[in-house]
Amino acid sequence: MDDDDITITLPDGSTREYAKGVTPLDVAASIGSRLAKAAIAATIDGEEVDLDRPIDHDATVAVITPTTPEGREVLRHSTAHVLAQAVTDLFPGARYAIGPAIQDGFYYDFELPGGQRFTDQDLERIEARMREIVAADQRFVREELDRDEGLTRFADQPFKQEIIERVDRSEVGSGAVISVYRNPRDGAADFLDLCRGPHVPRTSRLGAFKLMRVAGAYWRGDEHGPVLQRIYGTAWETPAALAEHLHRLEEAERRDHRRLGAELDLFSFPEEIGSGLPVFHPKGGTVRAIMEEYSRRRHEAAGYSFVNTPHITKANLFETSGHLQWFAEGMFPPMLVDEGPGEGTPYYLKPMNCPFHCLIYQSRIRSYRELPLRLFEFGTVYRYERSGVVHGLTRVRGLTQDDAHIFCTREQMGAELRSLLVFVLELLRDFGLEHFELELSTKPPGKAIGSDADWDAATEELRAVAQDMGLEPVLDEGGGAFYGPKISVQARDAIGRSWQLSTIQLDFQEPGPEHFDLHYIGADNERHTPVMIHRALFGAVERFFAILLEHYAGAFPAWLAPVQVSVLPVADRHHAYAFRIADRLRAEGFRVELLDAHDDTLGARVGRAKRDKVPYVLVVGDEDADNGTVGVNGRGSDHPERGVPVDAFIERLAEEVAERR
RNA sequence: GCCGGGAUAGCUCAGUCGGUAGAGCAGCUCACUCGUAAUGAGCAGGCCCGGGGUUCGAGUCCCCGUCCCGGCUCCA
């Protein structure tokens, strides 16, 4: 064996000998021309590199192809470079900041001279320029520079300089070397960008891309730093994959709860009331009432007691709870009551229910015999969300939590958490959600009270409970509240999006037990501090409503649908029969509407009922009136069933509702 | 809160250069009485988001506010 030979291990474990200096592309080519053709980057001993990186030692080598997550990232990041080149071409003096690959695509942040703004027309021009760059088939050439040379090469790019300086600081003593990528081009200076890489070898190897939108973004995410203009794009390995992605976006838009809410007449946000303050219309109110009613029934069965508390309170209560100290900026400003010569008494809208529930606990001496005490309320709270973050029903300023606080002993805590988690998942499943992920948030360093030992024990308890249910929680290090760890439940909807719903928050410090001096008398006749568990299963009813609406794309299952059955007489002479059918169904407890034949053709009425996503449309005509039957049109079926006996239909619907299908 | 874009009939939207407001759908009325996704005709519908300014004249231009949209930041 020659001294200049090295041994390359392939992903399948086999090994081959190559001359020193061989590149991953050479290796791929020696295995198969198809593989070499597909490759856009490679890994050497797990490190992502360009295809032409020479290999000078024994190593494991694999190529990266565009259809893998790593491959898409290379494509997207390379596309971002081309975007930056196009922008600097079209906007002389533009400064470019950072341009990473993100989920589904990439972005690049820019600052234009003279405060110029990108317009939608600019996006089209930029995209056209990008296609020219792709057609020119420029190479991506990697170079390594030392710090000073980097600063010189990016003399007119302050953001790049700042990054270089930062890299230098963070790698002190390691002989900092920065890498840049150069796109050589005819008749113009090379385009240069600071970058770790790897990249596709040539611009012609990019996939299908599209610029999406422009938006403002802070330099390095710093609210007080300069605001840059961010151009978002999406990039995929093939035009088909891009089309599929765009289709998914359309699907998400079609399901947007704000759009469905208006179309189906469920809720609205009157400008007169204020931002983030929804009103529910009769149909939305019906769905919501059913959700709440079902939840109430389940809580009753699970041993909860129902309480009610006011929406406003004197400031004093939130001083005791610590909210005014910690979260005043998230609360609506106070109103002064009984103003006179004095300063008046400040009252606040409540941002949380727990202090009220603590007062109920505290209203008399508690015995260990009455624990666990579970206090439940649909509690409406008000939070002063910053104006830019309000969004439909998912981020509002007035919301109703399905909130409960469980007071129990340390000994009871484990069992209580265990049954609680079962309860949560069962309830969410009943509403049609099936895929869950748990997130465990631990002690926030420097911002928490209580001993590490207490925290560790409580955190471990939560983890054990999750694992008992076969769910491995994802760790959210330092994400807990200052008074205790929490476990949150994320659910995936019908199109795979993940939503955070339930939270279970342990509180063995404050603002619960110790601030309020909560205690109970134990079997030993001594005073003990209870553990308090904060928990909300829907999270907020409004938000959960929105998630269900999007999950079902507006087609609520029969048990939740605001109108379950539309009855349509074929002609006026069938009206009396249709009325009897509707009446009968109402008597059975169903929600029914009758669309009479006076104004519209049958086709028009069927269309209306279908667009309203009513689960069952019953058409009744001569045949039915004679035989006591109905014509049944199930939602989603193109084939009406004729001559179904009324009793049979009622039985079917009742079963469907009972099973919450 | 910050950056950008918006707000015209119940909804979706058009409205040219600053010259006195338009369509489709929905609504109402009438006709049609129909077996499965939009029957026809007619009528009505407007503080052009609110306030100020420029102008002979403002839906249109400028300023302030409200609300919405896309991001950023935030999300107990």
Side-chain angles (χ1 to χ4, degrees):
Chain A
M1 174 177 149
D2 197 306
D3 266 359
D4 287 338
D5 278 355
I6 53 176
T7 303
I8 299 296
T9 308
L10 302 173
D12 64 6
S14 65
T15 59
R16 292 192 187 200
E17 301 297 317
Y18 292 91
K20 218 174 215 177
V22 69
T23 69
L25 184 62
D26 299 332
V27 173
S30 72
I31 295 166
S33 60
R34 201 189 293 165
L35 186 66
K37 230 171 142 181
I40 52 170
T43 59
I44 299 177
D45 290 334
E47 184 198 355
E48 293 193 4
V49 297
D50 298 312
L51 281 175
D52 61 0
R53 169 80 63 94
I55 310 169
D56 58 5
H57 57 278
D58 293 352
T60 299
V61 172
V63 297
I64 295 176
T65 56
T67 49
T68 61
E70 298 75 24
R72 285 187 198 100
E73 194 173 325
V74 170
L75 280 183
R76 287 164 183 165
H77 187 53
S78 300
T79 311
H81 277 235
V82 171
L83 167 60
Q85 183 184 151
V87 168
T88 52
D89 275 359
L90 296 172
F91 298 85
R95 291 161 167 178
Y96 43 113
I98 51 170
I102 54 173
Q103 167 127 50
D104 300 335
F106 58 92
Y107 67 78
Y108 217 116
D109 287 346
F110 300 96
E111 185 181 65
L112 295 184
Q116 280 181 80
R117 300 289 167 202
F118 291 122
T119 65
D120 288 350
Q121 289 73 31
D122 290 336
L123 285 192
E124 286 171 29
R125 282 170 59 215
I126 294 165
E127 195 175 307
R129 177 74 192 116
M130 288 172 72
R131 299 202 187 285
E132 289 170 16
I133 294 168
V134 169
D137 198 15
Q138 298 171 2
R139 286 181 300 142
F140 277 89
V141 182
R142 181 187 175 91
E143 287 176 19
E144 294 185 351
L145 311 174
D146 65 26
R147 177 182 179 276
D148 289 343
E149 198 178 347
L151 290 175
T152 308
R153 297 281 285 275
F154 289 103
D156 53 352
Q157 292 294 337
F159 298 113
K160 296 297 176 191
Q161 292 196 321
E162 194 176 324
I163 296 167
I164 293 170
E165 278 162 2
R166 203 160 80 230
V167 167
D168 195 36
R169 264 202 304 281
S170 65
E171 293 176 12
V172 173
S174 68
V177 169
I178 59 167
S179 57
V180 299
Y181 279 79
R182 195 160 53 82
N183 295 121
R185 33 187 196 171
D186 297 332
D190 296 351
F191 175 76
L192 192 70
D193 199 355
L194 179 67
C195 186
R196 193 173 289 128
H199 284 290
V200 296
R202 313 185 70 97
T203 55
S204 62
R205 301 295 304 279
L206 295 184
F209 60 86
K210 181 175 161 61
L211 297 185
M212 303 299 283
R213 64 174 66 92
V214 55
Y218 299 107
W219 167 236
R220 295 172 59 192
D222 176 4
E223 205 177 337
H224 306 288
V227 176
L228 306 176
Q229 293 190 77
R230 175 169 296 178
I231 294 179
Y232 283 92
T234 184
W236 298 83
E237 62 274 18
T238 59
L242 172 64
E244 212 173 289
H245 171 68
L246 295 177
H247 181 260
R248 277 195 300 272
L249 291 183
E250 275 172 36
E251 178 63 21
E253 196 180 325
R254 195 177 70 78
R255 288 169 179 263
D256 190 314
H257 74 275
R258 294 167 299 179
R259 173 202 183 109
L260 289 171
E263 273 175 20
L264 302 175
D265 196 15
L266 301 173
F267 56 85
S268 63
F269 295 88
E271 193 183 326
E272 291 84 342
I273 299 177
S275 185
L277 297 168
V279 293
F280 280 73
H281 299 194
K283 284 182 181 172
T286 298
V287 177
R288 186 171 165 165
I290 295 161
M291 288 166 55
E292 291 181 356
E293 166 58 25
Y294 184 69
S295 167
R296 244 186 225 107
R297 237 170 61 210
R298 295 299 306 259
H299 278 87
E300 194 168 13
Y304 286 77
S305 308
F306 299 153
V307 297
N308 286 288
T309 64
H311 292 202
I312 64 172
T313 174
K314 287 188 286 190
N316 193 32
L317 182 63
F318 292 126
E319 280 160 14
T320 303
S321 69
H323 286 95
L324 276 174
Q325 187 194 337
W326 294 91
F327 309 116
E329 80 291 346
M331 294 168 63
F332 275 86
M335 48 199 133
L336 287 179
V337 176
D338 297 331
E339 272 182 288
E343 58 275 12
T345 305
Y347 276 71
Y348 280 91
L349 282 165
K350 64 174 171 181
M352 290 180 108
N353 301 302
C354 24
F356 297 81
H357 292 184
C358 284
L359 290 181
I360 293 171
Y361 181 92
Q362 214 181 20
S363 64
R364 61 178 170 80
I365 294 175
R366 300 289 173 180
S367 154
Y368 72 98
R369 291 172 189 276
E370 53 187 320
L371 303 185
L373 181 64
R374 309 180 187 92
L375 304 182
F376 176 89
E377 168 178 25
F378 280 110
T380 302
V381 299
Y382 297 88
R383 300 177 182 185
Y384 189 75
E385 300 289 356
R386 301 216 275 175
S387 62
V389 306
V390 170
H391 178 94
L393 287 179
T394 57
R395 193 80 182 269
V396 289
R397 284 178 168 170
L399 56 128
T400 304
Q401 295 180 306
D402 58 333
D403 205 4
H405 295 90
I406 300 170
F407 303 88
C408 64
T409 67
R410 281 286 173 117
E411 296 69 41
Q412 291 168 331
M413 186 175 83
E416 199 59 28
L417 288 172
R418 205 155 275 130
S419 66
L420 184 49
L421 201 53
V422 173
F423 183 41
V424 174
L425 297 182
E426 274 184 6
L427 187 81
L428 296 181
R429 279 196 189 102
D430 286 343
F431 280 94
L433 301 170
E434 285 167 30
H435 305 285
F436 304 108
E437 287 143 29
L438 300 188
E439 192 177 72
L440 182 60
S441 302
T442 62
K443 187 176 182 180
K447 288 195 295 183
I449 50 179
S451 72
D452 282 355
D454 274 354
W455 273 83
D456 289 348
T459 306
E460 265 324 299
E461 191 72 51
L462 286 176
R463 186 202 307 276
V465 165
Q467 282 169 340
D468 284 357
M469 297 197 60
L471 291 163
E472 183 60 46
V474 176
L475 214 56
D476 170 27
E477 201 73 61
F482 66 94
Y483 49 80
K486 78 174 175 198
I487 200 156
S488 60
V489 179
Q490 264 111 276
R492 286 193 181 277
D493 70 10
I495 57 172
R497 294 171 303 180
S498 192
W499 301 87
Q500 191 192 307
L501 297 169
S502 320
T503 56
I504 298 171
Q505 175 96 46
L506 268 183
D507 185 350
F508 45 85
Q509 312 283 352
E510 49 181 331
E514 292 189 0
H515 263 188
F516 280 93
D517 190 27
L518 302 183
H519 58 267
Y520 64 91
I521 307 297
D524 56 3
N525 203 27
E526 297 291 326
R527 288 161 63 123
H528 300 273
T529 301
V531 174
M532 179 158 108
I533 303 169
H534 307 241
R535 40 112 292 174
L537 309 192
F538 294 157
V541 179
E542 292 81 358
R543 181 178 151 84
F544 192 63
F545 183 103
I547 291 163
L548 287 183
L549 185 54
E550 299 207 359
H551 176 66
Y552 290 116
F556 286 113
W559 75 284
L560 282 172
V563 176
Q564 297 170 311
V565 183
S566 288
V567 183
L568 280 53
V570 170
D572 278 347
R573 66 178 178 281
H574 309 117
H575 187 269
Y577 179 69
F579 189 86
R580 278 207 305 281
I581 298 289
D583 217 35
R584 169 85 195 280
L585 289 167
R586 287 198 188 98
E588 297 283 347
F590 299 118
R591 299 179 290 278
V592 185
E593 68 176 2
L594 197 158
L595 302 179
D596 69 34
H598 185 67
D599 298 317
D600 271 315
T601 60
L602 181 63
R605 284 175 288 141
V606 169
R608 200 186 327 155
K610 295 270 187 184
R611 274 191 303 280
D612 283 347
K613 303 179 193 293
V614 176
Y616 287 102
V617 179
L618 301 186
V619 173
V620 295
D622 288 326
E623 262 173 46
D624 300 298
D626 291 345
N627 305 320
T629 60
V630 292
V632 178
N633 302 263
R635 184 175 55 198
S637 158
D638 296 332
H639 304 291
E641 296 170 62
R642 296 280 289 270
V644 177
V646 178
D647 289 339
F649 174 72
I650 286 174
E651 198 178 321
R652 187 201 298 186
L653 181 56
E655 193 177 308
E656 199 174 319
V657 168
E659 292 176 12
R660 293 182 301 278
R661 278 191 273 127

